[in-house]
Amino acid sequence: MTASNITDAALDDLYARLAAAEQQGCMRTCLVPECRAQMDIVAALEGRVPARPEWDSDGWKLFKAGSVIPGGGYVCPEHAALVDAHRPQAITQADPPAVAARCTCGWASGWYRWHRAARGLWEDHLLRANGS
């Protein structure tokens, strides 16, 4: 569609779609498996109020990459202390190639060839530490 072919109705439709997309936000969910808390990361980065109050980023913590959570992630205010007390570290060995998770509380998983196994075991440990 060229600019000369854009009708007022088509333009109104485009603005309506843009407004709807802004209302959805760009969500990040808490790393704790049973938690469904979300925040709008784009609103947080832009310093604006999110479309819904429950999507606010106040108190959320960034969990950096490099542990058993390769891409990193975010933790909601309710679970920030839990994750701070149970920060995982990935330990690798070369022969045979494997990874294990070790927690700051002393817990450790066994060795696994599949990297995501260490994350799943740490998540299970986190749930148990939380009484779930």
mmCIF file of all heavy atoms in Angstrom, residues 12-45:
data_model
loop_
_atom_site.group_PDB
_atom_site.id
_atom_site.type_symbol
_atom_site.label_atom_id
_atom_site.label_comp_id
_atom_site.label_asym_id
_atom_site.label_seq_id
_atom_site.Cartn_x
_atom_site.Cartn_y
_atom_site.Cartn_z
ATOM 1 N N ASP A 12 -7.112 5.060 10.799
ATOM 2 C CA ASP A 12 -7.749 4.855 12.104
ATOM 3 C C ASP A 12 -7.521 3.429 12.610
ATOM 4 O O ASP A 12 -7.270 3.210 13.791
ATOM 5 C CB ASP A 12 -9.247 5.155 12.023
ATOM 6 C CG ASP A 12 -9.536 6.636 11.866
ATOM 7 O OD1 ASP A 12 -8.639 7.461 12.161
ATOM 8 O OD2 ASP A 12 -10.669 6.971 11.445
ATOM 9 N N ASP A 13 -7.603 2.464 11.681
ATOM 10 C CA ASP A 13 -7.382 1.061 12.051
ATOM 11 C C ASP A 13 -5.941 0.848 12.533
ATOM 12 O O ASP A 13 -5.714 0.157 13.524
ATOM 13 C CB ASP A 13 -7.686 0.150 10.857
ATOM 14 C CG ASP A 13 -7.487 -1.315 11.201
ATOM 15 O OD1 ASP A 13 -8.117 -1.797 12.167
ATOM 16 O OD2 ASP A 13 -6.681 -1.972 10.504
ATOM 17 N N LEU A 14 -4.982 1.454 11.853
ATOM 18 C CA LEU A 14 -3.582 1.332 12.261
ATOM 19 C C LEU A 14 -3.348 1.942 13.644
ATOM 20 O O LEU A 14 -2.650 1.360 14.476
ATOM 21 C CB LEU A 14 -2.665 1.992 11.236
ATOM 22 C CG LEU A 14 -2.518 1.252 9.907
ATOM 23 C CD1 LEU A 14 -1.734 2.103 8.913
ATOM 24 C CD2 LEU A 14 -1.825 -0.075 10.117
ATOM 25 N N TYR A 15 -3.937 3.095 13.903
ATOM 26 C CA TYR A 15 -3.794 3.719 15.223
ATOM 27 C C TYR A 15 -4.454 2.875 16.310
ATOM 28 O O TYR A 15 -3.933 2.759 17.426
ATOM 29 C CB TYR A 15 -4.363 5.134 15.228
ATOM 30 C CG TYR A 15 -3.428 6.153 14.629
ATOM 31 C CD1 TYR A 15 -3.810 6.944 13.556
ATOM 32 C CD2 TYR A 15 -2.141 6.337 15.149
ATOM 33 C CE1 TYR A 15 -2.942 7.876 13.000
ATOM 34 C CE2 TYR A 15 -1.271 7.260 14.602
ATOM 35 C CZ TYR A 15 -1.678 8.031 13.532
ATOM 36 O OH TYR A 15 -0.819 8.954 13.002
ATOM 37 N N ALA A 16 -5.588 2.262 15.999
ATOM 38 C CA ALA A 16 -6.267 1.395 16.962
ATOM 39 C C ALA A 16 -5.409 0.170 17.275
ATOM 40 O O ALA A 16 -5.307 -0.253 18.431
ATOM 41 C CB ALA A 16 -7.634 0.974 16.436
ATOM 42 N N ARG A 17 -4.778 -0.404 16.249
ATOM 43 C CA ARG A 17 -3.902 -1.566 16.470
ATOM 44 C C ARG A 17 -2.684 -1.186 17.309
ATOM 45 O O ARG A 17 -2.239 -1.952 18.161
ATOM 46 C CB ARG A 17 -3.445 -2.150 15.135
ATOM 47 C CG ARG A 17 -4.538 -2.872 14.404
ATOM 48 C CD ARG A 17 -4.014 -3.343 13.060
ATOM 49 N NE ARG A 17 -5.083 -3.841 12.242
ATOM 50 C CZ ARG A 17 -5.008 -4.986 11.571
ATOM 51 N NH1 ARG A 17 -3.921 -5.721 11.620
ATOM 52 N NH2 ARG A 17 -6.019 -5.378 10.835
ATOM 53 N N LEU A 18 -2.128 -0.014 17.053
ATOM 54 C CA LEU A 18 -0.985 0.459 17.829
ATOM 55 C C LEU A 18 -1.366 0.661 19.295
ATOM 56 O O LEU A 18 -0.637 0.248 20.194
ATOM 57 C CB LEU A 18 -0.448 1.764 17.235
ATOM 58 C CG LEU A 18 0.731 2.406 17.963
ATOM 59 C CD1 LEU A 18 1.933 1.468 17.952
ATOM 60 C CD2 LEU A 18 1.084 3.729 17.332
ATOM 61 N N ALA A 19 -2.519 1.270 19.538
ATOM 62 C CA ALA A 19 -2.973 1.485 20.915
ATOM 63 C C ALA A 19 -3.207 0.155 21.626
ATOM 64 O O ALA A 19 -2.850 -0.007 22.797
ATOM 65 C CB ALA A 19 -4.247 2.321 20.918
ATOM 66 N N ALA A 20 -3.776 -0.815 20.908
ATOM 67 C CA ALA A 20 -4.011 -2.142 21.511
ATOM 68 C C ALA A 20 -2.690 -2.821 21.853
ATOM 69 O O ALA A 20 -2.559 -3.453 22.905
ATOM 70 C CB ALA A 20 -4.832 -3.006 20.569
ATOM 71 N N ALA A 21 -1.703 -2.692 20.988
ATOM 72 C CA ALA A 21 -0.391 -3.294 21.241
ATOM 73 C C ALA A 21 0.271 -2.653 22.454
ATOM 74 O O ALA A 21 0.909 -3.332 23.264
ATOM 75 C CB ALA A 21 0.503 -3.169 20.014
ATOM 76 N N GLU A 22 0.124 -1.346 22.612
ATOM 77 C CA GLU A 22 0.707 -0.659 23.761
ATOM 78 C C GLU A 22 0.048 -1.087 25.060
ATOM 79 O O GLU A 22 0.681 -1.143 26.103
ATOM 80 C CB GLU A 22 0.600 0.857 23.588
ATOM 81 C CG GLU A 22 1.539 1.411 22.539
ATOM 82 C CD GLU A 22 1.350 2.894 22.298
ATOM 83 O OE1 GLU A 22 0.355 3.468 22.795
ATOM 84 O OE2 GLU A 22 2.187 3.478 21.597
ATOM 85 N N GLN A 23 -1.237 -1.432 25.020
ATOM 86 C CA GLN A 23 -1.946 -1.868 26.210
ATOM 87 C C GLN A 23 -1.493 -3.255 26.664
ATOM 88 O O GLN A 23 -1.637 -3.611 27.810
ATOM 89 C CB GLN A 23 -3.464 -1.874 25.965
ATOM 90 C CG GLN A 23 -4.052 -0.497 25.819
ATOM 91 C CD GLN A 23 -3.855 0.347 27.067
ATOM 92 O OE1 GLN A 23 -4.074 -0.103 28.173
ATOM 93 N NE2 GLN A 23 -3.410 1.585 26.889
ATOM 94 N N GLN A 24 -0.950 -4.057 25.745
ATOM 95 C CA GLN A 24 -0.504 -5.395 26.100
ATOM 96 C C GLN A 24 0.838 -5.371 26.815
ATOM 97 O O GLN A 24 1.114 -6.221 27.640
ATOM 98 C CB GLN A 24 -0.402 -6.267 24.852
ATOM 99 C CG GLN A 24 -1.741 -6.569 24.244
ATOM 100 C CD GLN A 24 -1.610 -7.336 22.947
ATOM 101 O OE1 GLN A 24 -0.513 -7.608 22.481
ATOM 102 N NE2 GLN A 24 -2.733 -7.675 22.355
ATOM 103 N N GLY A 25 1.681 -4.442 26.514
ATOM 104 C CA GLY A 25 2.981 -4.344 27.140
ATOM 105 C C GLY A 25 3.933 -5.426 26.649
ATOM 106 O O GLY A 25 3.589 -6.289 25.857
ATOM 107 N N CYS A 26 5.146 -5.361 27.112
ATOM 108 C CA CYS A 26 6.167 -6.360 26.807
ATOM 109 C C CYS A 26 6.524 -6.991 28.154
ATOM 110 O O CYS A 26 7.253 -6.416 28.948
ATOM 111 C CB CYS A 26 7.377 -5.701 26.161
ATOM 112 S SG CYS A 26 8.625 -6.890 25.670
ATOM 113 N N MET A 27 5.948 -8.150 28.410
ATOM 114 C CA MET A 27 5.944 -8.707 29.742
ATOM 115 C C MET A 27 7.154 -9.578 30.071
ATOM 116 O O MET A 27 7.692 -10.264 29.211
ATOM 117 C CB MET A 27 4.669 -9.535 29.944
ATOM 118 C CG MET A 27 3.398 -8.790 29.551
ATOM 119 S SD MET A 27 3.263 -7.147 30.268
ATOM 120 C CE MET A 27 3.025 -7.562 31.954
ATOM 121 N N ARG A 28 7.549 -9.535 31.324
ATOM 122 C CA ARG A 28 8.533 -10.436 31.891
ATOM 123 C C ARG A 28 7.867 -11.096 33.092
ATOM 124 O O ARG A 28 7.239 -10.436 33.903
ATOM 125 C CB ARG A 28 9.797 -9.698 32.345
ATOM 126 C CG ARG A 28 10.568 -9.055 31.208
ATOM 127 C CD ARG A 28 11.139 -10.124 30.268
ATOM 128 N NE ARG A 28 11.918 -9.551 29.205
ATOM 129 C CZ ARG A 28 11.449 -9.228 28.001
ATOM 130 N NH1 ARG A 28 10.184 -9.414 27.717
ATOM 131 N NH2 ARG A 28 12.250 -8.730 27.076
ATOM 132 N N THR A 29 8.024 -12.413 33.201
ATOM 133 C CA THR A 29 7.417 -13.187 34.276
ATOM 134 C C THR A 29 8.491 -13.559 35.290
ATOM 135 O O THR A 29 9.634 -13.818 34.929
ATOM 136 C CB THR A 29 6.754 -14.462 33.706
ATOM 137 O OG1 THR A 29 5.805 -14.062 32.709
ATOM 138 C CG2 THR A 29 6.039 -15.257 34.775
ATOM 139 N N CYS A 30 8.123 -13.624 36.560
ATOM 140 C CA CYS A 30 9.043 -13.993 37.629
ATOM 141 C C CYS A 30 9.660 -15.356 37.353
ATOM 142 O O CYS A 30 9.002 -16.270 36.863
ATOM 143 C CB CYS A 30 8.282 -14.016 38.957
ATOM 144 S SG CYS A 30 9.291 -14.448 40.384
ATOM 145 N N LEU A 31 10.951 -15.506 37.676
ATOM 146 C CA LEU A 31 11.677 -16.759 37.463
ATOM 147 C C LEU A 31 11.207 -17.912 38.349
ATOM 148 O O LEU A 31 11.443 -19.073 38.028
ATOM 149 C CB LEU A 31 13.167 -16.559 37.725
ATOM 150 C CG LEU A 31 13.966 -15.870 36.637
ATOM 151 C CD1 LEU A 31 15.410 -15.683 37.094
ATOM 152 C CD2 LEU A 31 13.933 -16.662 35.359
ATOM 153 N N VAL A 32 10.566 -17.609 39.456
ATOM 154 C CA VAL A 32 10.101 -18.676 40.348
ATOM 155 C C VAL A 32 8.976 -19.413 39.630
ATOM 156 O O VAL A 32 7.989 -18.803 39.222
ATOM 157 C CB VAL A 32 9.638 -18.109 41.702
ATOM 158 C CG1 VAL A 32 9.058 -19.194 42.589
ATOM 159 C CG2 VAL A 32 10.803 -17.414 42.396
ATOM 160 N N PRO A 33 9.123 -20.734 39.430
ATOM 161 C CA PRO A 33 8.206 -21.481 38.569
ATOM 162 C C PRO A 33 6.721 -21.336 38.873
ATOM 163 O O PRO A 33 5.915 -21.253 37.971
ATOM 164 C CB PRO A 33 8.652 -22.932 38.748
ATOM 165 C CG PRO A 33 10.063 -22.844 39.156
ATOM 166 C CD PRO A 33 10.191 -21.582 39.955
ATOM 167 N N GLU A 34 6.329 -21.289 40.130
ATOM 168 C CA GLU A 34 4.905 -21.224 40.445
ATOM 169 C C GLU A 34 4.348 -19.797 40.418
ATOM 170 O O GLU A 34 3.138 -19.607 40.524
ATOM 171 C CB GLU A 34 4.642 -21.847 41.811
ATOM 172 C CG GLU A 34 5.303 -21.088 42.932
ATOM 173 C CD GLU A 34 5.170 -21.760 44.283
ATOM 174 O OE1 GLU A 34 4.644 -22.867 44.366
ATOM 175 O OE2 GLU A 34 5.618 -21.156 45.263
ATOM 176 N N CYS A 35 5.187 -18.806 40.266
ATOM 177 C CA CYS A 35 4.767 -17.402 40.315
ATOM 178 C C CYS A 35 4.284 -16.932 38.946
ATOM 179 O O CYS A 35 4.925 -17.186 37.929
ATOM 180 C CB CYS A 35 5.918 -16.525 40.800
ATOM 181 S SG CYS A 35 5.439 -14.804 41.011
ATOM 182 N N ARG A 36 3.197 -16.213 38.935
ATOM 183 C CA ARG A 36 2.642 -15.678 37.689
ATOM 184 C C ARG A 36 2.730 -14.153 37.629
ATOM 185 O O ARG A 36 2.156 -13.532 36.753
ATOM 186 C CB ARG A 36 1.183 -16.107 37.525
ATOM 187 C CG ARG A 36 0.998 -17.615 37.467
ATOM 188 C CD ARG A 36 1.580 -18.166 36.178
ATOM 189 N NE ARG A 36 1.514 -19.625 36.161
ATOM 190 C CZ ARG A 36 2.573 -20.413 36.154
ATOM 191 N NH1 ARG A 36 3.778 -19.897 36.185
ATOM 192 N NH2 ARG A 36 2.440 -21.712 36.127
ATOM 193 N N ALA A 37 3.478 -13.552 38.553
ATOM 194 C CA ALA A 37 3.636 -12.100 38.550
ATOM 195 C C ALA A 37 4.366 -11.666 37.285
ATOM 196 O O ALA A 37 5.287 -12.339 36.824
ATOM 197 C CB ALA A 37 4.408 -11.644 39.783
ATOM 198 N N GLN A 38 3.932 -10.541 36.731
ATOM 199 C CA GLN A 38 4.542 -10.016 35.519
ATOM 200 C C GLN A 38 4.788 -8.524 35.645
ATOM 201 O O GLN A 38 4.101 -7.831 36.385
ATOM 202 C CB GLN A 38 3.642 -10.257 34.306
ATOM 203 C CG GLN A 38 3.483 -11.708 33.933
ATOM 204 C CD GLN A 38 2.654 -11.861 32.675
ATOM 205 O OE1 GLN A 38 1.582 -11.300 32.557
ATOM 206 N NE2 GLN A 38 3.178 -12.633 31.729
ATOM 207 N N MET A 39 5.773 -8.064 34.893
ATOM 208 C CA MET A 39 6.024 -6.620 34.783
ATOM 209 C C MET A 39 6.215 -6.271 33.314
ATOM 210 O O MET A 39 6.619 -7.104 32.513
ATOM 211 C CB MET A 39 7.249 -6.210 35.590
ATOM 212 C CG MET A 39 8.541 -6.628 34.978
ATOM 213 S SD MET A 39 9.848 -5.531 35.532
ATOM 214 C CE MET A 39 11.253 -6.408 34.908
ATOM 215 N N ASP A 40 5.911 -5.023 32.988
ATOM 216 C CA ASP A 40 6.092 -4.513 31.633
ATOM 217 C C ASP A 40 7.492 -3.921 31.544
ATOM 218 O O ASP A 40 7.758 -2.836 32.049
ATOM 219 C CB ASP A 40 5.029 -3.463 31.321
ATOM 220 C CG ASP A 40 5.094 -2.937 29.904
ATOM 221 O OD1 ASP A 40 6.111 -3.159 29.208
ATOM 222 O OD2 ASP A 40 4.130 -2.276 29.473
ATOM 223 N N ILE A 41 8.401 -4.639 30.900
ATOM 224 C CA ILE A 41 9.792 -4.213 30.837
ATOM 225 C C ILE A 41 9.979 -2.951 29.997
ATOM 226 O O ILE A 41 10.805 -2.102 30.322
ATOM 227 C CB ILE A 41 10.710 -5.364 30.341
ATOM 228 C CG1 ILE A 41 12.187 -4.985 30.472
ATOM 229 C CG2 ILE A 41 10.383 -5.763 28.918
ATOM 230 C CD1 ILE A 41 12.665 -4.831 31.871
ATOM 231 N N VAL A 42 9.208 -2.793 28.937
ATOM 232 C CA VAL A 42 9.353 -1.611 28.094
ATOM 233 C C VAL A 42 8.928 -0.363 28.858
ATOM 234 O O VAL A 42 9.615 0.667 28.823
ATOM 235 C CB VAL A 42 8.575 -1.764 26.772
ATOM 236 C CG1 VAL A 42 8.575 -0.469 25.986
ATOM 237 C CG2 VAL A 42 9.168 -2.885 25.937
ATOM 238 N N ALA A 43 7.818 -0.446 29.581
ATOM 239 C CA ALA A 43 7.391 0.701 30.401
ATOM 240 C C ALA A 43 8.460 1.036 31.433
ATOM 241 O O ALA A 43 8.760 2.205 31.672
ATOM 242 C CB ALA A 43 6.059 0.395 31.079
ATOM 243 N N ALA A 44 9.061 0.002 32.037
ATOM 244 C CA ALA A 44 10.111 0.235 33.033
ATOM 245 C C ALA A 44 11.324 0.924 32.411
ATOM 246 O O ALA A 44 11.864 1.873 32.969
ATOM 247 C CB ALA A 44 10.529 -1.092 33.672
ATOM 248 N N LEU A 45 11.751 0.445 31.238
ATOM 249 C CA LEU A 45 12.927 1.024 30.587
ATOM 250 C C LEU A 45 12.679 2.437 30.084
ATOM 251 O O LEU A 45 13.590 3.263 30.051
ATOM 252 C CB LEU A 45 13.382 0.128 29.433
ATOM 253 C CG LEU A 45 13.936 -1.240 29.855
ATOM 254 C CD1 LEU A 45 14.183 -2.110 28.627
ATOM 255 C CD2 LEU A 45 15.206 -1.083 30.668
#
